[in-house]
Amino acid sequence: MLKSVSLPIPVQYGLMLAGVLVNISCSIAMLKGKRWGRSFWVSWSSVSMVLGLVISPVPAVILPGLVLFLVAAVFLYRPAVSSYFVAAS
């Protein structure tokens, strides 16, 4: 499936590695209550979802991940969760 995407395979691997590193660093930041971790994760995930929908030969494969991302983003911005990030700062 990697060969059918318009991006070169090394670029795809680079994006995957960057995604893993961003997710790990944002997760650690969120556990410590850093607001930038939440904002950066939502931003990075939004951009990667849009990129995936644009370059994927089968965009329907991205949709379940998009639904899970939207659910997680809604929970991350609930008032109780937002107070956690404000209190920890």
Side-chain angles (χ1 to χ4, degrees):
M1 192 160 197
L2 288 174
K3 291 179 182 178
S4 62
V5 176
S6 60
L7 289 176
I9 291 179
V11 172
Q12 293 179 49
Y13 282 134
L15 288 174
M16 284 185 239
L17 178 63
V20 169
L21 295 175
V22 166
N23 281 322
I24 290 171
S25 62
C26 288
S27 298
I28 292 169
M30 284 189 277
L31 286 172
K32 292 181 178 183
K34 307 290 184 188
R35 284 186 285 183
W36 67 264
R38 174 179 63 169
S39 300
F40 192 62
W41 180 79
V42 169
S43 301
W44 177 271
S45 296
S46 299
V47 170
S48 67
M49 288 289 170
V50 169
L51 182 65
L53 286 170
V54 169
I55 66 170
S56 177
V58 185
V61 174
I62 307 291
L63 294 179
L66 178 62
V67 170
L68 289 174
F69 162 70
L70 290 173
V71 169
V74 165
F75 277 106
L76 278 174
Y77 281 97
R78 292 183 58 179
V81 178
S82 292
S83 66
Y84 165 75
F85 286 106
V86 170
S89 295

